[in-house]
Amino acid sequence: MKATAITPDDFPWYDYGRYSYSLGLSIGDHAYLSGHTASVYDPELGRMVVRGGMEEQTRIAYAKADAILTADGKTLGDTVRLVEYITEAGIDSYGEAERVRTELFSGDTRVNTVPVRALLRRDALIEIEIIAAREADNLIFLPTIYPANVAGGVIGQTNHIYDQAARMLDIFGLGLDSLVKTVEYITQDALADYKGTAQIRRDRLGPIYPAATGIIMPRLMRPDTVIQMDLVASREPPQSVNPGWKRYEKLTYSPGVRAGKYLFFSGTGAIDPESGQAIHDGDVAAQADYIYRNILRVVNAAGGSAENLVKTIEYTTPAAQPGYRGVADVRRELMARPYPVSTGPICDALLRREMLIEIDSLAIL
């Protein structure tokens, strides 16, 4: 499907035309928005700034989202997926963001709340990412699932999360085999036993394993948890998409999963898909170039091209920040206009220490 850039006539916060991402994309009935913080351009300082506490920042972020949706003939009330990225410094004041959200949204808004180490705008406490549509389609976005008072560390908590997911999906007449995407946020405390969760996936998911992303954060939204998950299911049967990488035959996730027109990707790092060896150690731009080329190989295997890539989340480590601006040049070279929408959270670490960046993507075919 053809995407068009959403270009508000009135967007007073900054000149959005010079970036390697779109403010938002309109595709059929859906609008996909980049992550937006409270950043504004200060002409006196000659740079972008973020000011205010959690409440003020949240209101500015939602005002940006509303302006973009208005330009596409939609409102915040049309939101079908809402993601709030909350920094480690902002978690304690998260209640202010919740109150603003409750004021702006009515009804049952499914929220995914992602704790991050930081955001690309240094003083930002929150970043808002939205998908909006007037009509429901075959995707089901589950709210963030947290285990509560569950013993057994990451193994016990992972099983508990899948139990909750199964109950949620049963309401829609679906099971865990309908999952097309899993995103796991874990703490450092989960790492010792984290490999054991592969057996849980093997036992409970499939026969087409969903695309998967796993990101390490300094803390989660609930202090008694070492893992939380965001899950996407589809009413349409999933199909694995693999350019021919044999390594994935042994793994419990697919390089890509197609469900109808949607193509979900596993989080992709600069890892050789055949050998599993890390590539371009220490160079975030080179890693991004390698990653995007592999992502496009998956898109091609599904019958698409760069213009079908509509959304990216670029998880970066603190060590990646000095060279991260170089990733914009990679996007300009490899991505088709209008550029995909994008969000750039900073995590604590990635599952392979050599990785400076992991990219989570979505294509629409």
Side-chain angles (χ1 to χ4, degrees):
M1 298 183 70
K2 181 67 174 175
T4 57
I6 303 173
T7 54
D9 292 332
D10 183 19
F11 196 79
W13 297 279
Y14 60 85
D15 177 9
Y16 57 82
R18 60 191 186 92
Y19 292 95
S20 60
Y21 60 85
S22 297
L23 285 184
L25 291 178
S26 182
I27 308 167
D29 182 54
H30 283 58
Y32 296 82
L33 273 58
S34 286
H36 292 282
T37 67
S39 59
V40 300
Y41 181 75
D42 186 319
E44 293 185 2
L45 296 176
R47 60 180 175 85
M48 300 287 282
V49 298
V50 177
R51 297 190 177 97
M54 178 64 82
E55 179 177 350
E56 181 180 353
Q57 289 192 26
T58 302
R59 291 189 183 281
I60 293 172
Y62 277 121
K64 290 180 180 180
D66 187 55
I68 298 164
L69 291 174
T70 298
D72 195 46
K74 297 180 176 65
T75 69
L76 289 174
D78 296 314
T79 297
V80 295
R81 189 180 195 224
L82 171 61
V83 184
E84 300 170 330
Y85 296 91
I86 308 296
T87 67
E88 187 177 15
I91 288 179
D92 290 340
S93 57
Y94 176 60
E96 297 176 30
E98 289 183 297
R99 286 192 291 274
V100 172
R101 172 170 31 88
T102 301
E103 175 187 322
L104 295 175
F105 291 85
S106 60
D108 180 24
T109 302
R110 296 191 187 103
V111 181
N112 298 107
T113 307
V114 180
V116 300
R117 177 164 178 163
L119 296 165
L120 293 176
R121 298 298 177 189
R122 185 183 60 183
D123 296 321
L125 300 172
I126 185 170
E127 186 161 350
I128 303 295
E129 180 186 294
I130 284 176
I131 300 175
R134 289 285 173 83
E135 296 182 5
D137 65 6
N138 287 318
L139 293 185
I140 298 166
F141 299 103
L142 297 184
T144 297
I145 303 178
Y146 312 92
N149 302 316
V150 177
V154 70
I155 301 298
Q157 291 188 12
T158 297
N159 266 313
H160 186 73
I161 286 172
Y162 283 127
D163 288 342
Q164 292 185 72
R167 289 192 291 270
M168 291 179 184
L169 291 170
D170 185 62
I171 296 171
F172 300 95
L174 299 172
L176 293 176
D177 59 343
S178 68
L179 290 175
V180 293
K181 177 70 179 183
T182 67
V183 185
E184 301 174 347
Y185 297 102
I186 65 173
T187 66
Q188 295 282 354
D189 290 341
L191 288 178
D193 297 322
Y194 183 65
K195 285 187 177 181
T197 63
Q199 187 60 49
I200 298 174
R201 293 176 66 88
R202 194 169 284 112
D203 293 340
R204 306 197 63 169
L205 306 183
I208 303 300
Y209 290 124
T213 301
I215 305 295
I216 304 168
M217 295 300 183
R219 59 183 288 194
L220 301 182
M221 295 303 295
R222 296 188 179 178
D224 58 341
T225 61
V226 296
I227 184 170
Q228 63 180 63
M229 286 194 208
D230 293 341
L231 305 173
V232 183
S234 175
R235 293 184 178 89
E236 300 195 52
Q239 299 174 305
S240 179
V241 179
N242 187 336
W245 298 327
K246 294 185 183 297
R247 175 170 167 263
Y248 281 86
E249 296 174 3
K250 302 177 182 179
L251 301 176
T252 57
Y253 53 93
S254 303
V257 173
R258 182 169 183 175
K261 65 185 179 181
Y262 295 101
L263 177 60
F264 294 88
F265 298 79
S266 285
T268 309
I271 304 297
D272 185 290
E274 296 289 358
S275 69
Q277 297 299 308
I279 306 296
H280 302 302
D281 191 9
D283 188 334
V284 65
Q287 287 189 17
D289 183 272
Y290 186 82
I291 290 167
Y292 274 120
R293 291 181 190 277
N294 278 337
I295 287 171
L296 292 175
R297 289 175 68 182
V298 178
V299 176
N300 295 156
S305 63
E307 67 180 11
N308 296 107
L309 195 64
V310 300
K311 183 176 183 295
T312 66
I313 303 173
E314 295 176 347
Y315 295 98
T316 54
T317 66
Q321 300 316 302
Y324 182 63
R325 287 184 180 273
V327 176
D329 293 330
V330 173
R331 292 174 64 91
R332 291 187 183 96
E333 178 185 355
L334 299 179
M335 300 296 100
R337 289 181 178 271
Y339 295 127
V341 299
S342 191
T343 305
I346 301 173
C347 58
D348 209 36
L350 296 167
L351 291 174
R352 292 282 294 268
R353 66 167 186 82
E354 305 97 327
M355 288 165 39
L356 297 173
I357 183 171
E358 181 170 330
I359 302 175
D360 192 348
S361 308
L362 174 68
I364 298 180
L365 303 168

